[in-house]
C-alpha cells in the first residue's frame, strides 16, 4: 500500500528541482483606515500641485499654498456656513433652507492637515520645512474654527483633560513608649486622629 503524501513536496537537488528556500508567504498587511486615508489625501495634494497654474514642485510649496489648497477644497464641502447677512447666522437649527455656501467643516480640515503633516515627513520632507506645520496654516485653521462657530452657533470648546486626583500623604510616627493614658501616636502636621 502506498503512503499518501499530505501535500508536501520533497525536492531532489540532484535532479535540479530544488525550488530554493521556502518562505511562508502571508498576504500583505492591509493598511489601517487612517493610513489609507492619509495616502489618498497625500495623492490628492500632489495632484493639486501638478494641476496648479503654473505647476508647483513640492519643494517649493509653502503654507500659503496649503491654505490655497484648503480653500479649493471648500467647493466639495457639505457643511452649511451662514454668511453674516443671512437671517440664520448664528442659528444651530435654521427653520428653513437658505442660499449660504457649503464648505468643509473645520474638524475635517484640521484632521486633513494632521494627516498631510505626517505624510509629508513620511515621504522624506524635513520637519523644519513642513508647509503643513506652518504658522499661517495654524492661524487659518483657528480663524475657520471661530468663524464657523459664530456662523453656525456652535461653540468649539477645547476638551479639558481630566486631572488625576491629588493624593495627600500624611506621615504618622508611632511611639514605641507607653504614655500614662495608654498607647499613643505622635502624628506629624497636619493633625490626624487615628482610630484605636
Amino acid at each position: 500500500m502506498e503512503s499518501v503524501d499530505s501535500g508536501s513536496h520533497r525536492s531532489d537537488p540532484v535532479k535540479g528541482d530544488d525550488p530554493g528556500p521556502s518562505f511562508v508567504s502571508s498576504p500583505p498587511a492591509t493598511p489601517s483606515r487612517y493610513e489609507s486615508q492619509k495616502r489618498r489625501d497625500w495623492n490628492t495634494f500632489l495632484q493639486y500641485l501638478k494641476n496648479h497654474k503654473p505647476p508647483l514642485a513640492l519643494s517649493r510649496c509653502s503654507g500659503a499654498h496649503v491654505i490655497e489648497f484648503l480653500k479649493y477644497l471648500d467647493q466639495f464641502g457639505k457643511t452649511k456656513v451662514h454668511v453674516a447677512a443671512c437671517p440664520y447666522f448664528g442659528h444651530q437649527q435654521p427653520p428653513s433652507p437658505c442660499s449660504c455656501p457649503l464648505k468643509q467643516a473645520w474638524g475635517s480640515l484640521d484632521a486633513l492637515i494632521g494627516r498631510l503633516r505626517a505624510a509629508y515627513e513620511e515621504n522624506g520632507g524635513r520637519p523644519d520645512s513642513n508647509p503643513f506645520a506652518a504658522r499661517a496654516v495654524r492661524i487659518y485653521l483657528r480663524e475657520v474654527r471661530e468663524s464657523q462657530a459664530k456662523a453656525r452657533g456652535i461653540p468649539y470648546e477645547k476638551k479639558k483633560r481630566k486631572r488625576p486626583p491629588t493624593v495627600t500623604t500624611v506621615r504618622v510616627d508611632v511611639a514605641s513608649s507607653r504614655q500614662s493614658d495608654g498607647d499613643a501616636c505622635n502624628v506629624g502636621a497636619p493633625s490626624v486622629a487615628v482610630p484605636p
Side-chain angles (χ1 to χ4, degrees):
M1 182 161 209
E2 292 182 24
S3 66
V4 178
D5 191 10
S6 63
S8 63
H9 172 66
R10 294 192 180 223
S11 60
D12 185 355
V14 176
K15 292 182 181 177
D17 63 349
D18 183 13
S22 65
F23 295 103
V24 177
S25 63
S26 61
T30 305
S32 69
R33 186 171 171 228
Y34 170 80
E35 292 295 329
S36 297
Q37 186 65 51
K38 184 168 58 173
R39 187 177 61 248
R40 281 194 301 273
D41 293 338
W42 182 245
N43 290 336
T44 300
F45 183 72
L46 293 179
Q47 188 64 43
Y48 172 79
L49 294 180
K50 185 177 175 184
N51 294 338
H52 191 271
K53 300 294 181 207
L56 187 61
L58 182 60
S59 60
R60 307 278 301 157
C61 183
S62 69
H65 296 109
V66 172
I67 293 170
E68 188 180 291
F69 174 66
L70 295 177
K71 289 178 180 178
Y72 158 78
L73 291 177
D74 271 340
Q75 66 184 309
F76 307 109
K78 298 175 185 171
T79 301
K80 178 76 72 172
V81 180
H82 301 290
V83 295
C86 177
Y88 304 129
F89 182 83
H91 291 268
Q92 286 185 21
Q93 301 291 331
S96 61
C98 64
S99 61
C100 291
L102 294 173
K103 294 188 173 192
Q104 291 287 340
W106 165 78
S108 299
L109 294 177
D110 188 49
L112 170 68
I113 289 299
R115 290 189 299 269
L116 289 173
R117 189 174 180 172
Y120 178 83
E121 293 176 16
E122 288 172 10
N123 286 283
R126 292 188 349 258
D128 60 329
S129 65
N130 191 332
F132 303 101
R135 184 172 185 266
V137 174
R138 290 194 310 272
I139 291 170
Y140 176 77
L141 286 174
R142 186 181 330 129
E143 289 172 355
V144 167
R145 183 187 69 205
E146 291 169 359
S147 68
Q148 287 188 6
K150 285 180 190 172
R152 301 182 66 224
I154 301 172
Y156 283 109
E157 294 177 4
K158 204 170 193 178
K159 292 181 181 176
K160 294 181 180 178
R161 294 184 189 177
K162 289 185 180 178
R163 293 186 177 176
T166 56
V167 178
T168 305
T169 57
V170 178
R171 192 176 129 218
V172 177
D173 293 327
V174 178
S176 59
S177 64
R178 291 205 173 262
Q179 293 183 348
S180 62
D181 58 339
D183 290 338
C185 296
N186 293 330
V187 179
S191 298
V192 176
V194 178

